[in-house]
Amino acid sequence: MLGGPVYIAFIRYAISLAGVILFFFLMSESRFGKKKTAVCYGCFCTVMLTAASVWYVADYESCVKTVAIIMYVCFTVFAIFMSRDNIYLSLYKLALIFYMLAVFLIVGIEVAVLFFDRNVWADIVTRIILIAAIAFFIDKKIKSSIRGFGYYVENELDRFSVTIMIISILFGIGFILNPNSREQTPYRLFAIFMNFFLTGSLQLLVFRLYFHIGKEKEYQKENQLVKMNQRMLERNIEILEESAESGKRIRHDARHHIAVIAEYTRRGQNEELLQYLQEYEKEADENVTEAICANTAVNNILAAYTRKAKKEQIKATLDVEIGANPTIANIDLVTILANAYENAIYGCMEVQKQSPGRECFIHLMLKKKKNKLVICCSNTCRMETELKNGQPKPEFTGGIGVLSIIRAAENYGGEYDFRNDNGVFIFRLIMNIPPTDNSTHETV
């Protein structure tokens, strides 16, 4: 410390605390609105700065040794409360911020000692310049990437390794900020430089590690989407092939029926002709494909998967109520239903391999309730089917589909859950149905 009257200490504390808050504000999103966030930070700063100044006047020696640690421990607790990130991600960002804190604190003091004969104003000006430079760099260069990186850390992090990393960084910062090391020697400056270098390198390595892990996961998800699209195309091709075969069969049968009718007509056998036409009508009614719902796209994809389920000797029950033209895009509906049905069939087939005697079933329900669309799919599954982060593991669903369901559902503010209820896998989804143009006009 460079000493000085209490107002100088107050200014230095205020600048340091403002810098830390600014860095944290740039890297994290508050769980409250802007006005409430500003009030909370203002109250926190007022309490901290007042207490630190009183302590500085009352006991200079103990204040110099411990006030920084206590202030930033308090800020850590406060920041975790204010941030919407989980605790591990918040601690990681705080470790990075405290590293930046060490940079502008030590550099400010060293510049004042080495070049300005321990002038406190040189320290203050240097801190302000460094804080502004670091904040500018964060805002322009790494704010978006650090927030995206936070998503990767939150979803992919190994908590043990992150804990060790945070502890290592804090130890390094503690050594750098050691208040008992005041002697200006080349060795001390070299030790400080090496600690800055090693601690910064650790941060960079962790950043790159999790960033690349996250990117790899993104590529895997994209690969899953490609496979899902391939399977959707295969189902559509099956539907087209079945339609073509049905058309050929109808044309072939029609020629025979026309020949029979013509022969009855030439012979004047009107009663026999009438009886034949009645039998033909009855046969035609029996062969008509049962309509699942009024929506053609949904009807076709559900019919295709129902036929697939029957081929695999899986009992499929459908309870579908949806209009011909829902305001939810058909591509999203088909994506959700096809993937849910596909995963259910896969789960039943895995059960058949594991327990051949076990009866397998699928029950799919789709209903509209007011401005909500409710989808529920339950199916037989393996007892050991597990969830990770609220989603089924890929090995229990074939590795495809869940991501597509979630992405489509999120387009409509959907809420979903997956669970294994003692060997019955249950997927539930509630989506908001967008208002039509007419309803929007009436509301306005």
Side-chain angles (χ1 to χ4, degrees):
M1 292 291 290
L2 301 177
V6 66
Y7 74 90
I8 294 293
F10 180 86
I11 292 173
R12 294 166 76 187
Y13 293 150
I15 292 172
S16 300
L17 193 57
V20 171
I21 291 174
L22 177 60
F23 297 159
F24 189 75
F25 178 78
L26 291 173
M27 292 186 190
S28 298
E29 295 183 20
S30 174
R31 68 174 64 192
F32 306 114
K34 292 183 178 180
K35 184 180 292 186
K36 187 174 181 179
T37 299
V39 171
C40 290
Y41 276 117
C43 294
F44 174 79
C45 291
T46 301
V47 173
M48 285 291 101
L49 294 175
T50 302
S53 300
V54 171
W55 189 3
Y56 184 85
V57 174
D59 190 350
Y60 171 79
E61 290 294 331
S62 64
C63 179
V64 168
K65 291 181 179 180
T66 57
V67 67
I69 295 175
I70 292 177
M71 284 181 66
Y72 295 114
V73 167
C74 293
F75 176 74
T76 298
V77 176
F78 178 75
I80 291 173
F81 169 75
M82 293 293 294
S83 176
R84 65 173 57 181
D85 299 326
N86 67 34
I87 185 169
Y88 275 90
L89 183 55
S90 295
L91 287 174
Y92 172 81
K93 291 182 178 180
L94 287 167
L96 176 59
I97 290 168
F98 291 155
Y99 174 77
M100 298 175 184
L101 163 71
V103 170
F104 68 73
L105 282 182
I106 295 301
V107 173
I109 292 174
E110 296 300 327
V111 167
V113 171
L114 295 175
F115 302 105
F116 295 96
D117 192 25
R118 305 178 71 87
N119 187 293
V120 293
W121 293 107
D123 173 34
I124 291 172
V125 172
T126 303
R127 291 188 188 190
I128 294 174
I129 293 173
L130 286 174
I131 290 171
I134 295 172
F136 179 82
F137 179 75
I138 292 173
D139 185 58
K140 297 299 181 181
K141 299 295 183 181
I142 66 172
K143 182 172 71 173
S144 58
S145 62
I146 199 70
R147 288 187 177 182
F149 164 72
Y151 170 79
Y152 297 143
V153 172
E154 189 169 359
N155 287 275
E156 309 297 341
L157 60 80
D158 172 6
R159 285 176 169 78
F160 176 78
S161 62
V162 171
T163 301
I164 298 299
M165 181 271 298
I166 292 172
I167 292 173
S168 300
I169 292 173
L170 293 179
F171 274 140
I173 295 171
F175 180 84
I176 294 170
L177 296 176
N178 181 8
N180 295 319
S181 180
R182 301 182 182 181
E183 185 180 357
Q184 298 297 120
T185 63
Y187 173 77
R188 177 178 178 274
L189 295 177
F190 175 76
I192 290 175
F193 172 78
M194 289 305 299
N195 269 277
F196 273 130
F197 174 76
L198 294 175
T199 307
S201 299
L202 178 60
Q203 285 277 0
L204 179 61
L205 289 173
V206 172
F207 177 86
R208 291 181 64 84
L209 171 64
Y210 282 111
F211 190 80
H212 285 294
I213 289 176
K215 283 295 182 184
E216 182 180 353
K217 291 292 184 180
E218 288 291 325
Y219 295 145
Q220 291 177 358
K221 291 175 181 178
E222 293 300 326
N223 185 41
Q224 289 183 5
L225 289 176
V226 171
K227 291 182 178 179
M228 182 274 297
N229 289 331
Q230 179 184 351
R231 287 163 70 163
M232 293 281 288
L233 288 173
E234 289 174 353
R235 294 290 167 265
N236 287 329
I237 291 173
E238 288 178 8
I239 293 172
L240 291 174
E241 289 176 346
E242 290 173 359
S243 298
E245 289 296 326
S246 177
K248 290 180 182 178
R249 187 174 61 256
I250 291 172
R251 288 192 297 272
H252 180 269
D253 293 343
R255 287 196 296 269
H256 291 291
H257 292 309
I258 291 171
V260 172
I261 293 170
E263 187 63 25
Y264 277 129
T265 303
R266 278 195 296 269
R267 295 183 178 185
Q269 297 174 324
N270 294 331
E271 291 185 5
E272 289 83 352
L273 174 59
L274 181 61
Q275 183 179 356
Y276 179 80
L277 291 176
Q278 290 174 346
E279 292 175 355
Y280 176 71
E281 182 182 9
K282 181 179 179 181
E283 181 183 355
D285 291 339
E286 291 176 352
N287 292 330
V288 171
T289 303
E290 180 183 358
I292 299 173
C293 67
N295 184 283
T296 303
V298 172
N299 186 85
N300 289 340
I301 200 68
L302 292 181
Y305 278 106
T306 301
R307 288 192 293 271
K308 180 177 175 63
K310 289 181 178 179
K311 288 179 183 178
E312 300 295 338
Q313 297 181 342
I314 301 170
K315 182 180 179 182
T317 306
L318 304 182
D319 183 9
V320 180
E321 296 179 8
I322 187 172
N325 298 303
T327 52
I328 295 177
N330 283 335
I331 186 64
D332 292 325
L333 274 176
V334 169
T335 297
I336 294 170
L337 294 172
N339 282 292
Y341 214 156
E342 179 93 25
N343 291 340
I345 293 174
Y346 179 86
C348 290
M349 292 171 64
E350 289 297 300
V351 171
Q352 290 173 341
K353 293 178 184 178
Q354 186 184 60
S355 307
R358 188 177 170 192
E359 184 180 1
C360 294
F361 72 89
I362 298 173
H363 181 262
L364 178 65
M365 185 267 288
L366 169 65
K367 290 188 177 181
K368 177 182 176 182
K369 296 183 178 180
K370 295 184 179 180
N371 64 332
K372 303 286 185 182
L373 189 68
V374 181
I375 299 175
C376 180
C377 183
S378 58
N379 62 274
T380 311
C381 70
R382 293 160 60 183
M383 293 292 184
E384 60 270 24
T385 299
E386 297 178 2
L387 304 179
K388 180 181 180 181
N389 297 328
Q391 301 174 19
K393 292 184 176 180
E395 58 265 32
F396 297 107
T397 62
I400 303 173
V402 174
L403 175 64
S404 301
I405 292 173
I406 292 173
R407 286 190 174 182
E410 288 176 346
N411 292 335
Y412 302 91
E415 297 182 4
Y416 55 87
D417 73 328
F418 304 87
R419 63 189 175 93
N420 178 4
D421 188 7
N422 195 28
V424 177
F425 188 82
I426 300 175
F427 158 63
R428 296 180 297 181
L429 169 65
I430 299 178
M431 293 194 302
N432 297 317
I433 298 178
T436 60
D437 294 338
N438 292 336
S439 62
T440 303
H441 179 73
E442 291 173 1
T443 304
V444 175

